[in-house]
Amino acid sequence: MAAEQVKLLIIGSGPAGYTAAIYAARANLNPVLYQGLQPGGQLTITTEVENYPGYPDGVQGPDMMQDFEKQARRMGADIRFGMVTAVDLSRRPFRVVVDEEKEIVADALIIATGASAKWLGLDSEQRLNGRGVSACAVCDGFFFRGKEVAIVGGGDTACEEALYLSKLCTRVHMLVRRDQMRASQIMQDRVKHTPNIQIYWNTQALDILGEEKVEGVKVKNTITGEERIIPVSAFFVAIGHQPNSELFIGQLDMDENGYIRTRPGSTHTSVEGVFACGDVQDKIYRQAVTAAGSGCMAALDAERYLSAQEHIQRQHAGSVAS
């Protein structure tokens, strides 16, 4: 079977992918978008979203992603269910395999595969996800104003999120699995000098308690073996994210954590004609609104690239004809 030819292929959905599709469709690029394993991305496993502009009463994460998808379809984007399983960026047009069988060749590629939060692996963690368990304090801390919460992690992100929560919550119980933090010294100092952050060293979370919502966390001191229950209304996991960039290892320039590097002020990757947007290249902000913004940037960058390529081809055709 001959490979399908497309002008612009978008890999991944979520705010970045759908926004790229909206802008690309409006620019008559006829974009094809493959949604991936989790259509709509991480927001489909979130409950209420209150910090995205345009939803004054808040919105459920899955509903918001359905709105994004509907808008992209209305603009003419070809949105398909399927997962990209292989890519070859070494030649043009780029070659992509979907679901291990369908081959597509694309003149330009937008990568919007996102990142996945790292979890502890507790059954209760997944059961109560969205009901007090969260991997984003900036997203969900607001819902627990005036309450006690727990956060697990010892890096800069955990410290930043603990400090953020300390401004909203009466007490933040910070669980650090070792006898020291990985965070920079300045972040450690800020946490240690914040009165309502209580640090538990050498502490492991054993279970998150509650049937319908988080009511507490059962912890164990790994040195003494002592177990205790800390009553909390929320449990935040801040042990890092994993960018979904495995497909592009060895083909695109990445940082030491696997985030795709883009040229400053743009979405251009190390391969001309390949663009990256959203959490797969953003390890700092990781918000729906910033992902959407970079999706817009990727579509504009792709449109300019494709327009320049067409201009070169026309010039070449004209010189051959003469």
Side-chain angles (χ1 to χ4, degrees):
M1 185 185 294
E4 180 185 1
Q5 294 188 320
V6 304
K7 187 180 288 186
L8 174 63
L9 181 66
I10 301 170
I11 304 176
S13 43
Y18 285 142
T19 303
I22 290 166
Y23 273 79
R26 283 173 55 84
N28 292 325
L29 297 181
N30 304 315
V32 172
L33 180 149
Y34 276 95
Q35 294 174 307
L37 196 60
Q38 190 177 37
Q42 289 188 87
L43 279 170
T44 58
I45 57 169
T46 335
T47 50
E48 188 136 11
V49 178
E50 287 197 334
N51 56 3
Y52 197 92
Y55 292 97
D57 299 319
V59 62
Q60 295 292 307
D63 293 340
M64 187 168 88
M65 285 300 90
Q66 284 181 8
D67 288 346
F68 273 56
E69 182 182 345
K70 286 177 190 172
Q71 189 171 355
R73 287 188 189 277
R74 188 171 73 83
M75 294 301 155
D78 183 352
I79 296 174
R80 305 174 182 176
F81 182 73
M83 185 171 178
V84 172
T85 50
V87 295
D88 180 2
L89 307 180
S90 65
R91 50 184 172 155
R92 287 180 173 77
F94 305 117
R95 278 173 160 67
V96 173
V97 178
V98 179
D99 296 330
E100 299 183 348
E101 56 182 17
K102 180 178 175 61
E103 188 176 7
I104 293 178
V105 292
D107 296 326
L109 201 60
I110 291 178
I111 300 167
T113 47
S116 301
K118 294 179 181 176
W119 298 98
L120 298 175
L122 303 174
D123 290 340
S124 52
E125 187 179 45
Q126 296 308 313
R127 181 173 57 81
L128 292 168
N129 193 351
R131 291 184 287 174
V133 172
S134 169
C136 180
V138 175
C139 309
D140 299 323
F142 183 80
F143 299 114
F144 303 99
R145 288 171 299 168
K147 298 178 186 274
E148 294 196 26
V149 301
I151 183 167
V152 59
D156 277 339
T157 298
C159 288
E160 286 173 12
E161 298 211 334
L163 289 165
Y164 178 85
L165 291 168
S166 72
K167 298 178 176 68
L168 300 168
C169 305
T170 54
R171 183 164 294 276
V172 179
H173 301 271
M174 188 172 186
L175 314 180
V176 181
R177 290 177 289 182
R178 299 188 299 166
D179 59 358
Q180 59 184 353
M181 295 186 192
R182 301 186 319 276
S184 57
Q185 195 59 51
I186 188 168
M187 293 304 296
Q188 292 190 46
D189 291 342
R190 287 177 187 169
V191 165
K192 290 173 183 176
H193 289 94
T194 301
N196 64 334
I197 297 179
Q198 183 174 347
I199 303 172
Y200 300 75
W201 302 104
N202 300 303
T203 298
Q204 176 186 3
L206 297 178
D207 197 16
I208 304 162
L209 309 176
E211 288 300 317
E212 298 300 321
K213 61 180 181 178
V214 172
E215 295 174 357
V217 56
K218 184 178 181 181
V219 301
K220 176 182 178 179
N221 184 296
T222 56
I223 302 298
T224 66
E226 179 192 359
E227 295 182 6
R228 62 180 293 190
I229 291 172
I230 306 171
V232 292
S233 299
F235 184 82
F236 293 92
V237 182
I239 58 174
H241 284 72
Q242 181 66 44
N244 301 322
S245 59
E246 300 89 347
L247 276 175
F248 312 100
I249 292 173
Q251 302 193 69
L252 292 175
D253 188 21
M254 301 178 185
D255 72 6
E256 64 277 6
N257 296 313
Y259 287 90
I260 296 173
R261 284 197 171 105
T262 50
R263 199 184 306 160
S266 81
T267 60
H268 290 264
T269 69
S270 56
V271 172
E272 187 181 10
V274 179
F275 309 89
C277 57
D279 288 10
V280 75
Q281 55 86 48
D282 172 22
K283 62 182 176 184
I284 299 172
Y285 301 106
R286 292 197 302 267
Q287 298 298 302
V289 70
T290 50
S294 69
C296 161
M297 292 167 61
L300 295 176
D301 286 343
E303 194 275 329
R304 289 168 186 150
Y305 166 77
L306 289 168
S307 180
Q309 293 300 111
E310 288 172 6
H311 179 69
I312 291 168
Q313 288 170 4
R314 282 196 299 269
Q315 283 189 321
H316 178 70
S319 62
V320 169
S322 59

